[in-house]
């Protein structure tokens, strides 16, 4: 038996037996200082030499300590020889021993590639089924790599052996390089983190575009993310490089990735052609095989074939397809619909069915379908299914959800039941009732049988994703969109899968996950046929916007000709291409942007041209100032172009240290007078941030700071000490910060009395007002909001709590309040401001969310101070063209000040904090001064969250 590992003499004995492995160096270190081990080892070596066994004896030496002692008893005769050999063993070698060769198996057990030269030659990838396979390396080989400092080879060996944690530690010890990033991508792929792998591979390729190892690992990451065609393109680029062995494997991998996607695309084209022929009665009914490969589309097209049938024979021909559909779903809904159509009066139905066929096949334009819809309504029961189908085809179903719901209840078919849920939710969302819509969709999805109704379940998941994105719940939106994409993929609905993938790519871009967004746009481009120029332009624009947002990481973007599909470039396309040219692009990028500007029409093109010319033409600023006011701020896209133009103009002034011009341009954008004194102005444009401080006498001090991502610049750098010193004498400071800086908590110190506002403060009402406290709201439990502690009710305050805290009751209480506190949950929509909401108790109609849109329509007569004691209630949209936030909605309704946190707040600490704020304000202090005092004291006590409480006026 082996001695315990903590016995150094046992370790020395194992060294002689050839069993020390990676502990060989430690054994030798101990042997050099231990007289006992030297004597014992001398005896053993002496016996081996005397008996002439040499290395062979060492290889077969006994391992039990008792056996060794029997050998030692016969060793005295060889003591002199042993001592001589021992001296040779312990004496340093006159030259270093050759490093152990890293023995690689003829086949590799991992797909990834590594940058170490030893791993560069191609070895075929081969694994056994049923278990992960790793390569084995002797410990002395790994120790030799570490001693020589060959960390790249050590990472590759450890990762190939499945030691991913140790490989990560070895990576962390390496200096930054493209090779290290490529190896990190390999480790992330093996660890099952494809998005992290994609980011590492992109970083490596940004610095070394020809690094095939990084491109290989990027291809694997794309594959694991589900972007098979984008992955295939990566492997095809590697194959074109001609690397021995690797090129052949890359070619085979690309083909294996493309084949199933192409097969799915071909199957979709086949079912589309066959379905249109069936509906047009120029071909037979769909083959029952389609029920297995594309069950959702097969059912949808079956329904259209029933609606468009003009004779009993046409209907009876659909019976085999109906039986196959019902057999797959385990219901009788398809056969029942066929029977209802056969029982209807075909004399009434036939001409309507023929017209319906024209609508489905686009021979009747949707814009011209109004009279037909009225005709179907007059036909009554004989054509009720046609009326429902026509409402869907013309996007009028959400306008008349009650008709869809009545039909679904009458036929009692899950397909239509689920359709009715989605239609009603769509109408709820359109009218701002996002709360009931979310509950409705979540409950339906919780019980949706994806095996039988996967097509409809996927539509509901997409509807929920759109709702979440409207509320800027981007993580939830992405998760629902991914669920929808998986659902559509599972039922062969590749057109909808690609559509949802486009939506998901935009969500990821909004979330700042730019590597993932770019990969999704690449996949969309690869899937879209050349004739689908709308999709292709969408994807190319997305890639250009990613390149603009990605800061130092450059991408090669070719947006195509500006007149693709005979359409003028959109405002966002112009922004993307002009910013790429402004971002240090070469002359080709500038020329390409100029071509797009020339193809543009309207004021957006004029603004884009002036922005492009700012760096080269001194007169461009004047042209830009003249063009910007002409852009319609009510149009969301034009508003974005307008804000972008102002940002470029302001940054141009700051680059010339023309601080009065900067302040004037910021004021002009807001339509306000130039702020006179005690004001901080702040703006960002691409990779620069600008701040101007106006002191109590009206003197200006400015700064322009460079940052990789200007919107993320630290507040202490954006507003440096010189500017803060300029404002030190001001009792209160108004901050005029252009989005996305509006709402930032770190622009000035927590001890300073400052607030966001760009106009004269609204005076408190002279009429008598009252205190209002809202709390203990009960939003639907299915939404998962944790219960909050009931708030304390100040003496004399009106309490709106529990089930009574509905949106309507809260607004009614605020109408004449002078001070109001809302202790509730909040969700902030950073994409559509009027969908931001506070979570309250549901009213009789199910509406539980008090949205920013509802608040904006209200009127608070007593100019109250409103405290939104809800997590992240001060969060503001991260976009440049609007100040979107819940506080801004309350200000628009008449509040004179809004106090809100931009961070999560602990329930137990929030009450005392806001109690003290209320006591100070009702005692006569200004809101900014009161918050500054309470905030500073709380931070000093260790309540770091208090630094995130800010004031809007």
């Amino acid at each position: 038996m082996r001695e315990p590992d903590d016995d150094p003499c046992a370790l020395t004995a194992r060294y002689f037996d050839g069993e020390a492995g990676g502990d060989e160096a430690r054994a030798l270190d101990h042997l050099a200082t231990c007289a006992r081990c030297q004597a014992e080892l001398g005896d053993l070596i002496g016996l081996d030499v005397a008996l002439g066994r040499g290395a062979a004896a060492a290889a077969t030496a006994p391992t039990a300590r008792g056996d060794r002692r029997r050998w030692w008893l016969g060793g005295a005769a060889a003591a002199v020889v042993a001592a001589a050999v021992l001296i040779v063993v312990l004496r340093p070698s006159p030259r270093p021993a050759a490093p152990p060769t890293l023995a690689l198996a003829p086949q590799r057990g991992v797909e990834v590639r590594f940058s170490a030269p030893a791993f560069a030659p191609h070895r075929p990838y081969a694994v056994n089924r049923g278990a992960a396979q790793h390569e084995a390396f002797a410990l002395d080989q790994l120790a030799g790599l570490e001693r020589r400092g060959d960390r790249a080879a050590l990472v590759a060996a450890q990762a190939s052996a499945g030691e991913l944690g140790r490989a990560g530690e070895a990576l962390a010890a390496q200096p930054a390089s493209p090779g290290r990033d490529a190896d990190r991508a390999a480790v992330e792929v093996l660890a099952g983190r494809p998005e992290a792998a994609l980011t590492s591979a992109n970083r490596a390729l940004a610095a070394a575009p020809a690094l095939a190892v990084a491109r290989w690992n990027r291809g694997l990451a794309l594959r694991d993310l589900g972007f098979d065609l984008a992955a295939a393109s990566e492997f095809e680029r590697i194959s074109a490089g001609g690397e021995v062995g690797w090129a052949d494997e890359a070619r085979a991998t690309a083909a294996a990735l493309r084949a199933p996607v192409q097969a799915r695309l071909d199957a979709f084209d086949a079912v589309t052609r066959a379905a249109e022929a069936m509906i047009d009665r120029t071909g037979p009914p769909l083959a029952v095989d389609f029920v297995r490969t594309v069950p959702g589309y097969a059912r949808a097209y079956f329904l259209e074939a029933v609606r468009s049938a003009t004779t009993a024979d046409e209907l009876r021909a659909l019976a085999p397809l109906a039986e196959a559909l019902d057999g797959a779903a385990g219901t009788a809904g398809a056969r029942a619909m066929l029977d209802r159509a056969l029982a209807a009066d075909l004399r009434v139905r036939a001409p309507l069915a023929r017209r319906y066929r024209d609508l489905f096949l686009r021979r009747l334009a949707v814009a011209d379908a109004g009279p037909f819809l009225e005709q179907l309504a007059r036909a009554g029961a004989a054509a009720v299914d046609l009326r429902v189908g026509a409402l869907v085809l013309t996007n009028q179903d959400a306008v008349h959800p009650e008709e869809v719901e009545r039909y679904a209840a009458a036929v009692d078919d899950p397909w239509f039941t689920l359709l009715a849920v989605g239609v009603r939710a769509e109408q709820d969302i359109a009218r701002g009732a996002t709360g009931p819509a979310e509950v409705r969709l979540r409950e339906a999805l919780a019980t949706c049988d994806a095996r039988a109704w996967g097509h409809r379940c996927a539509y509901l998941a997409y509807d929920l994703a759109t709702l979440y994105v409207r509320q800027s719940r981007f993580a939830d939106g992405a998760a629902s969109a991914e669920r929808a994409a998986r659902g559509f993929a599972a039922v062969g609905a590749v057109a909808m899968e690609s559509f949802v993938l486009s939506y998901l790519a935009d969500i990821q871009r909004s979330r700042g996950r730019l590597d993932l967004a770019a990969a999704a746009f690449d996949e969309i481009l690869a899937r879209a046929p050349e004739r689908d120029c709308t999709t292709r332009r969408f994807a190319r624009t997305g890639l250009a916007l990613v390149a603009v947002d990605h800061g130092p990481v450059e991408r090669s973007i070719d947006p195509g000709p500006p007149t693709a599909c005979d359409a003028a470039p959109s405002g966002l396309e112009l922004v993307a291409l002009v910013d790429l040219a402004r971002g240090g692009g070469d002359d080709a990028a500038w020329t390409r942007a100029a071509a797009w500007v020339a193809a543009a029409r309207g004021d957006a093109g004029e603004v884009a041209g002036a922005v492009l010319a700012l760096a080269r033409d001194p007169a461009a600023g004047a042209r830009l100032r003249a063009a910007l006011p002409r852009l319609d701020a009510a149009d969301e896209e034009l508003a974005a172009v307008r804000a972008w133009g102002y940002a470029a103009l302001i940054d141009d002034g700051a680059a010339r240290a023309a601080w009065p011009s900067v302040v004037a341009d910021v004021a002009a954008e807001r339509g306000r007078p130039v702020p006179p004194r005690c004001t901080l102005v702040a703006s960002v444009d691409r990779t620069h941030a600008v701040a101007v401080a106006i002191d109590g006498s009206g003197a200006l001090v400015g700064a322009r700071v460079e940052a990789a991502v200007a919107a993320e610049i630290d507040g202490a750098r954006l507003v440096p000490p010189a500017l803060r010193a300029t404002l030190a004498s001001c009792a209160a400071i108004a901050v005029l910060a252009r989005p996305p800086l509006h709402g930032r908590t770190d622009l000035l110190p927590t001890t300073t009395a400052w607030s966001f506002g760009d106009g004269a403060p609204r005076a408190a009402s002279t009429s008598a007002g009252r205190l209002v406290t809202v709390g203990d709201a009960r939003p639907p439990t299915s939404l998962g909001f944790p219960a909050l502690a009931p708030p304390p009710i100040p003496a004399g305050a009106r309490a709106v709590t529990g089930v009574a805290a509905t949106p309507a009751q809260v607004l009614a209480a605020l109408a004449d309040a002078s001070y109001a506190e809302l202790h509730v949950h909040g969700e902030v929509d950073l994409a559509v401001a009027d969908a931001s909401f506070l979570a309250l108790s549901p009213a009789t109609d199910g509406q539980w969310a008090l949205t920013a849109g509802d608040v904006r329509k209200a009127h608070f007569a007593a100019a109250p101070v409103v405290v939104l004691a809800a997590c992240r209630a001060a969060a503001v949209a991260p976009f440049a063209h609007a100040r979107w936030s819940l506080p801004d909605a309350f200000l628009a309704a008449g509040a004179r000040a809004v106090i809100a946190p931009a961070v999560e707040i602990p329930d137990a600490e929030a009450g005392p904090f806001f109690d003290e704020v209320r006591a100070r304000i009702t005692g006569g202090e200004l809101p900014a001064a009161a918050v500054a005092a309470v905030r500073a004291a709380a931070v000093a006590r260790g309540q770091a969250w208090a630094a995130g409480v800010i004031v809007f006026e």
Side-chain angles (χ1 to χ4, degrees):
M1 294 177 58
R2 284 187 175 177
E3 298 292 329
D5 287 342
D6 57 359
D7 182 352
C9 291
L11 178 61
T12 303
R14 293 208 311 276
Y15 166 75
F16 182 78
D17 293 340
E19 298 176 4
D23 291 329
E24 179 180 318
R26 190 157 61 92
L28 288 173
D29 289 342
H30 173 73
L31 184 59
T33 59
C34 181
R36 171 190 161 194
C37 288
Q38 290 174 9
E40 291 182 354
L41 185 59
D43 288 343
L44 287 171
I45 295 173
L47 281 172
D48 278 357
V49 173
L51 295 174
R53 296 184 179 182
T60 58
T63 57
R65 196 169 184 84
D67 291 341
R68 288 202 187 94
R69 290 187 181 278
R70 286 192 292 274
W71 280 83
W72 294 342
L73 292 175
V80 174
V81 177
V85 175
L86 183 61
I87 292 171
V88 173
V89 170
L90 296 178
R91 180 181 299 155
S93 174
R95 60 186 177 194
T101 303
L102 191 63
L104 297 177
Q107 295 176 322
R108 72 189 200 280
V110 293
E111 285 183 279
V112 295
R113 290 180 64 176
F114 298 99
S115 65
F119 287 78
H122 179 262
R123 294 178 296 144
Y125 170 59
V127 295
N128 295 324
R129 295 185 179 182
Q133 182 169 323
H134 300 112
E135 296 186 48
F137 298 93
L139 291 176
D140 63 332
Q141 293 179 331
L142 298 180
L145 294 174
E146 190 157 13
R147 282 196 297 271
R148 295 199 306 274
D150 190 351
R151 294 195 176 275
L154 183 63
V155 167
Q158 290 172 328
S160 298
E163 297 287 344
L164 300 184
R166 293 185 177 182
E169 293 171 1
L171 276 169
Q174 292 186 48
S177 70
R180 185 186 72 166
D181 287 329
D183 289 342
R184 187 179 297 280
V187 172
E188 298 288 6
V189 168
L190 294 174
R193 296 187 289 264
E195 185 178 352
L198 178 65
T199 297
S200 294
N202 283 353
R203 189 163 51 242
L205 290 169
L211 187 58
V213 173
R215 196 163 298 284
W216 185 282
N217 295 335
R218 184 177 194 271
L220 294 176
L222 289 169
R223 179 203 63 187
D224 292 350
L225 287 165
F227 303 143
D228 287 355
L229 293 187
S233 296
E234 289 293 86
F235 285 108
E236 286 161 354
R237 293 179 67 176
I238 296 168
S239 176
E243 287 184 278
V244 176
W246 295 110
D248 293 334
E249 184 176 336
R251 187 178 306 109
T253 301
L257 287 166
R258 282 198 182 278
V261 178
Q262 192 59 51
R264 293 176 63 237
L265 292 172
D266 291 345
F268 175 72
D269 285 343
V271 73
T272 301
R273 290 193 301 271
E276 291 189 352
M278 171 183 67
I279 292 165
D280 201 22
R281 268 60 192 188
T282 58
L286 286 177
V288 295
D289 285 349
F290 284 127
V291 174
R292 176 178 52 81
T293 57
V294 284
Y297 277 126
R299 180 172 290 271
Y301 287 135
F302 163 80
L303 297 174
E304 302 296 2
V306 171
R307 293 171 183 137
S308 59
T310 58
T311 68
D313 287 342
E314 289 179 353
L315 288 168
R316 282 191 286 268
L318 298 172
L321 182 56
E323 299 296 337
L325 288 167
D326 285 342
T331 66
R335 181 71 229 192
M337 183 171 184
L338 190 60
D339 290 342
R340 283 193 296 271
L342 283 166
D345 187 344
L346 287 175
R347 291 173 299 176
V348 175
R349 186 180 175 94
L352 298 173
R354 191 171 292 108
R355 194 64 171 152
Y356 184 92
R357 184 185 305 177
D358 290 339
L359 177 64
F360 178 83
L361 295 174
R362 299 172 296 281
R363 294 192 289 249
L364 170 62
V366 169
D368 300 330
F372 178 53
L373 287 172
E374 294 174 4
Q375 190 178 7
L376 289 172
R378 290 193 297 271
V384 63
D385 58 327
L386 277 72
R387 166 75 177 177
V388 169
L391 289 174
V392 174
L393 290 178
T394 57
N395 296 315
Q396 295 293 304
D397 47 349
V399 179
H400 304 281
E402 68 287 345
E403 292 191 47
V404 181
E405 289 170 333
R406 281 198 302 269
Y407 181 74
V411 301
D412 192 25
D413 184 340
W415 178 275
F416 290 102
T417 301
L418 295 170
L419 171 65
V421 170
V423 168
R424 177 61 73 176
E426 185 178 348
Q427 190 197 54
D428 286 343
I429 295 169
R431 65 185 179 88
T434 54
E438 181 178 357
V439 172
R440 192 186 310 276
L441 290 170
R442 286 168 61 107
E443 289 178 348
L445 279 167
T447 58
C448 197
D449 184 356
R451 293 170 299 178
W453 310 106
H455 197 86
R456 295 250 57 93
C457 297
Y459 266 105
L460 293 180
Y462 170 71
D463 290 339
L464 186 60
T466 62
L467 183 151
Y468 284 144
V469 170
R470 284 177 63 90
Q471 298 174 341
S472 282
R473 297 161 65 180
F474 292 127
D476 291 335
S480 290
E482 288 167 354
R483 177 177 178 177
R486 289 193 303 270
F488 285 126
V491 297
V494 292
M496 279 305 301
E497 179 192 355
S498 295
F499 174 77
V500 174
L501 181 61
S502 303
Y503 188 68
L504 182 59
D506 230 23
I507 294 175
Q508 303 296 17
R509 188 174 68 82
S510 297
R511 298 176 70 194
R513 298 171 72 173
L514 301 179
D515 291 297
L516 190 60
F521 285 127
D522 280 335
E523 182 72 9
I524 295 163
L525 264 181
R527 292 187 184 190
E530 288 297 328
R531 65 182 181 277
D532 186 2
C533 47
T534 301
T535 299
R536 297 183 71 81
R537 283 189 65 185
F538 168 79
R540 284 171 171 155
T541 301
L543 284 170
L545 290 170
V546 167
V548 170
D549 293 341
H550 220 316
V553 180
E554 286 296 328
R555 293 180 51 82
S556 176
I557 305 298
D558 179 10
T563 56
C565 299
D566 296 322
S570 69
L572 289 180
E573 287 174 317
L574 294 172
V575 168
L577 271 294
V578 170
D579 265 0
L580 280 176
R582 295 170 65 212
D586 54 20
D587 287 342
W590 200 94
T591 301
R592 183 175 58 209
W596 278 66
V597 168
R601 293 192 286 268
D603 294 324
E606 187 173 350
V607 167
V611 171
L612 181 63
L614 272 176
R616 304 187 180 193
D617 182 1
R623 295 201 303 273
L624 187 53
R625 284 188 183 88
L628 283 169
R630 294 199 295 268
L631 292 178
D632 182 5
D635 181 290
E636 186 170 337
E637 183 165 322
L638 291 180
V641 175
R642 181 178 184 271
W644 168 73
Y646 270 110
L649 188 62
I650 292 162
D651 185 67
D652 179 66
R656 295 181 285 103
W659 307 122
S661 174
V662 168
V663 173
D665 287 332
V666 171
E669 181 185 20
R670 294 290 299 155
R672 298 281 196 265
V674 175
R677 57 186 62 85
C678 287
T679 300
L680 175 68
V681 173
S683 177
V684 295
D685 174 45
R686 294 176 52 249
T687 57
H688 283 88
V690 176
V692 182
I694 309 174
D695 69 9
S697 67
L700 279 65
V701 178
R704 180 175 184 258
V705 184
E706 186 175 1
V709 181
E712 297 176 3
I713 186 173
D714 180 75
R717 286 189 61 222
L718 194 151
V719 188
L723 272 68
R724 297 188 178 200
T726 299
L727 298 167
S729 62
C730 294
I733 301 166
V735 175
L736 176 52
R738 300 182 66 254
L741 298 177
H742 179 64
R744 284 276 295 263
T745 63
D746 60 348
L747 298 181
L748 289 170
T750 57
T751 55
T752 301
W754 64 277
S755 60
F756 288 100
D758 59 342
R762 182 177 284 134
S765 173
T766 56
S767 61
R770 58 183 172 182
L771 299 180
V772 172
T773 300
V774 178
D776 193 26
R778 314 283 176 82
T781 56
S782 63
L783 300 173
F785 289 112
L788 298 176
I793 309 300
R798 175 183 177 182
V800 185
T801 60
V803 295
T806 65
Q809 295 272 44
V810 169
L811 286 179
L814 291 175
D816 61 352
S818 59
Y819 194 99
E821 291 181 4
L822 288 80
H823 295 267
V824 296
H825 285 291
E827 287 290 342
V828 180
D829 178 355
L830 302 184
V832 181
D834 286 353
S836 301
F837 64 84
L838 298 173
L840 301 176
S841 300
T844 54
D845 63 356
Q847 178 65 14
W848 54 267
L850 177 59
T851 69
D854 296 330
V855 173
R856 286 178 185 276
K857 298 172 187 174
H859 176 63
F860 306 148
V865 173
V866 177
V867 177
L868 300 179
C871 292
R872 300 186 302 107
V876 179
F879 301 112
H881 59 287
R883 295 180 6 155
W884 283 350
S885 69
L886 275 169
D888 288 315
F890 278 89
L891 291 175
R896 66 185 174 99
V898 179
I899 301 167
V903 295
E904 302 287 325
I905 59 175
D907 191 24
E909 297 175 5
F913 180 94
F914 291 113
D915 283 347
E916 188 175 352
V917 169
R918 182 194 335 108
R920 285 176 172 271
I921 294 175
T922 56
E925 286 190 35
L926 293 176
V931 168
V934 179
R935 181 173 59 201
V939 171
R941 291 193 301 268
Q943 297 175 348
W945 64 269
V949 178
I950 50 180
V951 182
F952 298 79
E953 291 186 290

